[in-house]
Amino acid sequence: MEAETDQPDFVQAEGVFFLAHILRRLSDEIIEGCVSWYADMGLDVPPRTASTLHLLYRRGPQSVTKMASALRQSHPLAIQWIRQLTTLGLVETAKNEADRRRTIVSLTAQGIAMSERLVGSHEAFEVAYAQLVQDAGADPFDGLWRLEGALQKRSMTDRLRLA
């Protein structure tokens, strides 16, 4: 069997067909770095749930549906993140008094404290991302926002069907 280094990266060699795969690999690399760094900083938060904490910190209690919409994530994924944060004691849920079908999510005192620490870490993230962009010689943010905007106007499904 050949050594792994003797082979080109399969996903890169296959090209554009695997765009979602390379984006997921990059996301996973960033998340793994955050897991280690969060532990170093005493932040007991799964990195994938940080946007949920930030949303509640910035905008206050929210319904699950409103949170999923604001984060542009699926309702089931939002529920999964809320369960993780509830288990950690960072958020609590209550039924909406006006509409008992709706669940309202809010930060606990511990969740507020953790959110403040996360917000305080923004500068470290900005420095780390600036260094990553410099090392890579590419700033992906503008392009990624434009790609997302284009997909909001015409879905990937429609684009594939038109191709």
Side-chain angles (χ1 to χ4, degrees):
M1 187 161 132
E2 292 182 55
E4 288 182 32
T5 57
D6 294 343
Q7 304 253 340
D9 182 287
F10 176 77
V11 171
Q12 187 176 11
E14 292 295 312
V16 71
F17 184 74
F18 289 115
L19 174 63
H21 187 104
I22 189 62
L23 290 172
R24 179 60 181 245
R25 281 193 338 197
L26 288 169
S27 175
D28 288 347
E29 287 284 333
I30 292 167
I31 293 296
E32 283 305 310
C34 289
V35 167
S36 296
W37 187 78
Y38 280 19
D40 292 347
M41 301 305 293
L43 295 167
D44 187 22
V45 179
R48 293 188 196 277
T49 67
S51 58
T52 304
L53 279 182
H54 273 67
L55 176 67
L56 292 169
Y57 183 73
R58 298 281 194 215
R59 297 187 182 172
Q62 306 271 312
S63 71
V64 175
T65 302
K66 191 172 180 180
M67 290 174 63
S69 177
L71 296 172
R72 297 204 46 237
Q73 296 294 323
S74 70
H75 193 267
L77 185 57
I79 290 171
Q80 179 183 341
W81 289 346
I82 291 162
R83 283 186 183 140
Q84 289 177 313
L85 294 169
T86 301
T87 299
L88 292 169
L90 301 175
V91 302
E92 57 191 5
T93 60
K95 291 293 180 187
N96 182 319
E97 292 300 321
D99 182 351
R100 303 290 295 163
R101 296 170 299 172
R102 294 180 62 200
T103 299
I104 303 299
V105 182
S106 59
L107 293 173
T108 63
Q110 184 181 347
I112 292 168
M114 191 65 64
S115 296
E116 288 171 347
R117 292 183 68 205
L118 281 169
V119 169
S121 72
H122 282 192
E123 185 177 335
F125 275 89
E126 288 177 18
V127 170
Y129 280 121
Q131 186 64 53
L132 174 61
V133 165
Q134 182 179 351
D135 291 350
D139 185 351
F141 294 103
D142 182 56
L144 289 171
W145 291 124
R146 288 187 293 156
L147 286 170
E148 184 180 45
L151 285 173
Q152 287 175 343
K153 291 178 183 167
R154 182 181 299 151
S155 73
M156 191 65 183
T157 301
D158 289 346
R159 291 168 190 278
L160 288 167
R161 287 179 178 149
L162 289 171

